[in-house]
Amino acid sequence: MLAYRSMTDQNLPIEGLELPPPMHRIKTLTGTVAALKRKRKSEPDDAGLIERLKAGDEEALQSLFNRYAAKLYNVAQRILGDVADAEEVIQDVFWTAFRKAKSFRGTAQFSTWLYRLTVNAALGKIRRSKKNKEVEYEEYLPKFQQDGHHKVRPVVDWSNTLDEKYAKRELQQLLKQALERLKPVDKSVVVLSDMEGMSDKEIAVMLGLTVSAVKTRLHRARLFLRGNLAGHLGHSAA
């Protein structure tokens, strides 16, 4: 059994998170976000750790956890929107990495493999929970006339007035609510691109999509988010 420290509260230990029975053999993986960031700066590259992980070295697993857990947790939490679910996903990801290390062929970076495991685990949890409330995008996408002009005119640029009307926390809450309404894969694309700063090519590898599919999903998702926020601000979504 692992005993993680909460990745959102550096002072509260989280005990008793249930794991698959074989995991009790692995030493406790511990650390806080700040501590993990400090450790990563002085650690060696992944190659040696990966070879040790393939040989079943539990200390290598601890080192890789120290290096990547904080970033992977951020991705999982942003996709899932739930602290407990994100922590469970991260446990599953490192347990999977330990069990399947020999299947890693090195054709992509090890971090890319871990990100892919994380996103897939998060999407799988969403599918199983059936809690996701998707909405049709069309209502929030721009509408155009046959000549290419917007149906709703004039087109208002309300982005410069956001700070005047809403506090930062309120804007974050509005954006979070809008993100929750995206289709899970689209939400993952937005999180990886706009919040994690990854390239379209990297995202395509992680999600098993083509680069053009990533671009299309990202474009539509951004338009949806913009339209959703516009409605909250009293403007036309279209």
Side-chain angles (χ1 to χ4, degrees):
M1 181 177 296
L2 298 184
Y4 284 82
R5 284 191 183 278
S6 169
M7 296 182 184
T8 55
D9 188 326
Q10 298 181 11
N11 299 313
L12 293 178
I14 291 181
E15 302 288 342
L17 296 179
E18 294 300 323
L19 294 163
M23 199 63 172
H24 75 274
R25 298 183 298 103
I26 300 178
K27 296 178 182 178
T28 298
L29 303 181
T30 60
T32 64
V33 173
L36 298 183
K37 288 180 179 177
R38 290 195 299 271
K39 289 179 181 179
R40 282 200 296 269
K41 292 180 180 179
S42 60
E43 287 181 341
D45 61 27
D46 288 344
L49 291 174
I50 294 169
E51 291 306 310
R52 289 166 53 194
L53 188 68
K54 289 180 177 181
D57 188 328
E58 296 169 6
E59 290 186 0
L61 178 63
Q62 173 74 64
S63 295
L64 289 167
F65 174 84
N66 291 346
R67 181 173 296 184
Y68 292 112
K71 285 187 175 182
L72 297 178
Y73 170 81
N74 284 339
V75 171
Q77 199 278 330
R78 284 166 171 164
I79 293 174
L80 293 164
D82 183 89
V83 170
D85 285 348
E87 289 182 334
E88 184 178 336
V89 160
I90 296 307
Q91 290 184 103
D92 291 344
V93 165
F94 281 95
W95 168 225
T96 300
F98 187 75
R99 288 188 300 111
K100 297 186 176 181
K102 291 182 180 179
S103 69
F104 176 69
R105 303 301 181 189
T107 53
Q109 291 186 352
F110 187 70
S111 58
T112 300
W113 186 58
L114 288 178
Y115 272 105
R116 184 168 189 173
L117 290 177
T118 301
V119 173
N120 285 342
L123 292 177
K125 180 171 281 295
I126 290 173
R127 285 192 294 269
R128 291 190 298 274
S129 70
K130 298 180 181 179
K131 293 179 182 178
N132 190 65
K133 298 179 180 179
E134 298 176 12
V135 298
E136 292 299 323
Y137 288 2
E138 295 305 320
E139 179 183 351
Y140 297 94
L141 299 181
K143 307 295 190 300
F144 297 95
Q145 301 177 34
Q146 290 185 348
D147 62 5
H149 289 97
H150 283 264
K151 283 188 175 181
V152 177
R153 303 180 71 183
V155 177
V156 179
D157 181 6
W158 42 262
S159 59
N160 293 329
T161 65
L162 287 177
D163 291 339
E164 300 173 8
K165 296 183 178 181
Y166 291 91
K168 183 177 181 181
R169 181 172 295 182
E170 291 176 307
L171 285 173
Q172 289 175 336
Q173 185 61 31
L174 286 175
L175 181 57
K176 181 180 178 181
Q177 291 172 355
L179 280 168
E180 291 301 318
R181 305 180 76 187
L182 286 172
K183 295 177 174 64
V185 174
D186 293 347
K187 184 179 180 182
S188 300
V189 171
V190 171
V191 167
L192 293 172
S193 177
D194 294 344
M195 299 181 183
E196 297 298 319
M198 295 183 181
S199 69
D200 294 341
K201 185 176 181 179
E202 289 174 317
I203 296 169
V205 171
M206 290 177 197
L207 296 179
L209 300 171
T210 63
V211 172
S212 61
V214 170
K215 291 179 182 293
T216 298
R217 285 180 177 273
L218 184 59
H219 179 64
R220 283 177 60 83
R222 285 171 174 167
L223 287 176
F224 168 81
L225 293 174
R226 186 186 188 283
N228 202 281
L229 289 174
H232 281 289
L233 295 170
H235 299 290
S236 170

